[in-house]
Amino acid sequence: TTKLSKEKVEITKEQQALVKSIVDAYNRHQIPQDMTKKLLQEQYSAEENFLLLTEMATSQVQVLVEFTKNIPGFLSLDCEDQIALLKGSAVEAMFLRSAQVLSKRMPNGYTEVLKERVRNSGMSEEFMTPMFNFYKSIDELQMVQEEQALLTAVTILTPDRPYVKDYQAVERLQETMLVVLRKLCVLQHPQDPQYFARLLGRLTELRTLNHYHAEMLTSWRMNDQKFTPLLCELWDVQ
Ligand SMILES: C[C@]12CC[C@H]3[C@@H](CC=C4C=C(C(=O)O)CC[C@@]43C)[C@@H]1CC[C@@H]2C(=O)c1ccc(O)cc1
């Protein structure tokens, strides 16, 4: 086992401030309530479900940008690198977000309705399976909100995205998050010293979903489904 689990793990004052600012940003930036209400009310059809998810995806990108701007140090990165990180991590952040939302037990059956609409949105089986497997593996972790917020920040601050110029600057920021995340995991799950490693394993699983997503977009376009201008720009489609 790692030394950490033997020693008393201390979170420093500045690390506490870091976690607080990221968790606050994570909780502050959510898709608008009226959109989630629509999800519960609109009638079911593959087209209607796809439209709703497209609206949610578009809103989620805007939420993601606002959240990212609140990650300490992000705005001091090179501007073009900021764009490269957002473009490169948007799909993973979206799938991570959907897994975190779907693994919550919502009182009004929101997660069941959302799952049903995802299942019936014109997405083919071959992408559905890996995506729902991912949801299950995130659900098993039962992450607390600090872990969810930090894991999202770690995903965004992945240095090896296309077109990132100052790799080291991004790596340093990600490292800062990982150090805090590891301490939180040890403190939150003392009985499971491998918890942090399992959390990082989810990031590897996330990357494979990136690959499926490109094909998912293509298959949707084959059925001439329309995306929004923001999604087209983000994913270089149309
Ligand atoms: C990722 C996704 C779009 C965004 C959805 C996610 C399911 C759950 C969500 C919960 C959210 C919340 O409660 O905050 C924000 C939106 C998200 C994150 C969908 C599953 C498949 C879909 C998709 O890939 C897709 C992509 C392009 C489209 O045009 C339509 C769907």
Side-chain angles (χ1 to χ4, degrees), residues 24-36:
D24 290 349
Y26 186 75
N27 290 330
R28 205 172 39 251
H29 301 301
Q30 312 264 338
I31 64 168
Q33 277 304 318
D34 63 328
M35 204 166 282
T36 50

Side-chain angles (χ1 to χ4, degrees), residues 13 36 71 97 110 116 139 143 178 194 202 234:
K13 279 264 162 289
T36 50
I71 298 176
R97 175 72 188 159
Y110 175 77
E116 268 324 294
D139 192 8
M143 278 188 267
L178 284 166
Q194 296 314 320
R202 301 284 71 82
L234 184 75

Side-chain angles (χ1 to χ4, degrees), residues 29-31 35-36 49-60 63 91 93-99 101-102 104 106 110 114 118 121 123 131 135 213 216-217 220 225-228 231 235:
H29 301 301
Q30 312 264 338
I31 64 168
M35 204 166 282
T36 50
N49 293 342
F50 179 76
L51 274 179
L52 277 170
L53 290 175
T54 301
E55 247 184 82
M56 286 173 83
T58 306
S59 172
Q60 176 59 20
V63 161
V91 171
M94 224 177 250
F95 279 121
L96 185 55
R97 175 72 188 159
S98 49
V101 166
L102 290 173
K104 267 192 238 157
M106 304 281 238
Y110 175 77
L114 184 50
V118 171
S121 57
M123 203 188 291
M131 191 160 70
Y135 292 163
H213 196 258
M216 207 165 22
L217 294 180
W220 269 321
Q225 296 279 24
K226 284 265 159 293
F227 301 110
T228 55
L231 294 181
W235 292 325

Side-chain angles (χ1 to χ4, degrees), residues 72-233:
F74 181 83
L75 293 178
S76 18
L77 291 172
D78 172 283
C79 285
E80 285 172 357
D81 283 355
Q82 292 179 27
I83 303 285
L85 291 178
L86 277 165
K87 274 184 80 133
S89 67
V91 171
E92 290 175 27
M94 224 177 250
F95 279 121
L96 185 55
R97 175 72 188 159
S98 49
Q100 289 164 348
V101 166
L102 290 173
S103 59
K104 267 192 238 157
R105 305 278 170 270
M106 304 281 238
N108 56 4
Y110 175 77
T111 38
E112 279 61 37
V113 169
L114 184 50
K115 263 185 202 156
E116 268 324 294
R117 292 197 188 269
V118 171
R119 281 192 197 288
N120 175 22
S121 57
M123 203 188 291
S124 61
E125 253 333 285
E126 65 184 297
F127 311 135
M128 205 72 81
T129 316
M131 191 160 70
F132 278 87
N133 288 344
F134 179 67
Y135 292 163
K136 207 161 65 59
S137 63
I138 289 289
D139 192 8
E140 278 155 15
L141 289 170
Q142 282 305 306
M143 278 188 267
V144 297
Q145 65 169 357
E146 288 82 357
E147 292 162 345
Q148 292 190 356
L150 276 170
L151 197 65
T152 306
V154 165
T155 304
I156 295 161
L157 294 170
T158 300
D160 58 336
R161 299 294 187 196
Y163 315 114
V164 168
K165 297 175 297 187
D166 191 349
Y167 184 96
Q168 275 74 25
V170 181
E171 197 179 34
R172 267 195 305 275
L173 271 185
Q174 189 190 47
E175 185 56 33
T176 310
M177 305 290 151
L178 284 166
V179 164
V180 184
L181 181 55
R182 181 163 65 166
K183 286 187 177 180
L184 280 179
C185 290
V186 171
L187 293 170
Q188 190 75 34
H189 310 268
Q191 82 295 346
D192 181 359
Q194 296 314 320
Y195 184 86
F196 177 64
R198 282 166 53 216
L199 214 49
L200 296 190
R202 301 284 71 82
L203 294 185
T204 312
E205 196 177 346
L206 252 187
R207 282 191 180 232
T208 60
L209 289 175
N210 246 334
H211 154 75
Y212 285 114
H213 196 258
E215 290 177 31
M216 207 165 22
L217 294 180
T218 315
S219 74
W220 269 321
R221 282 178 59 209
M222 307 291 259
N223 316 341
D224 61 30
Q225 296 279 24
K226 284 265 159 293
F227 301 110
T228 55
L230 178 57
L231 294 181
C232 290
E233 190 194 323

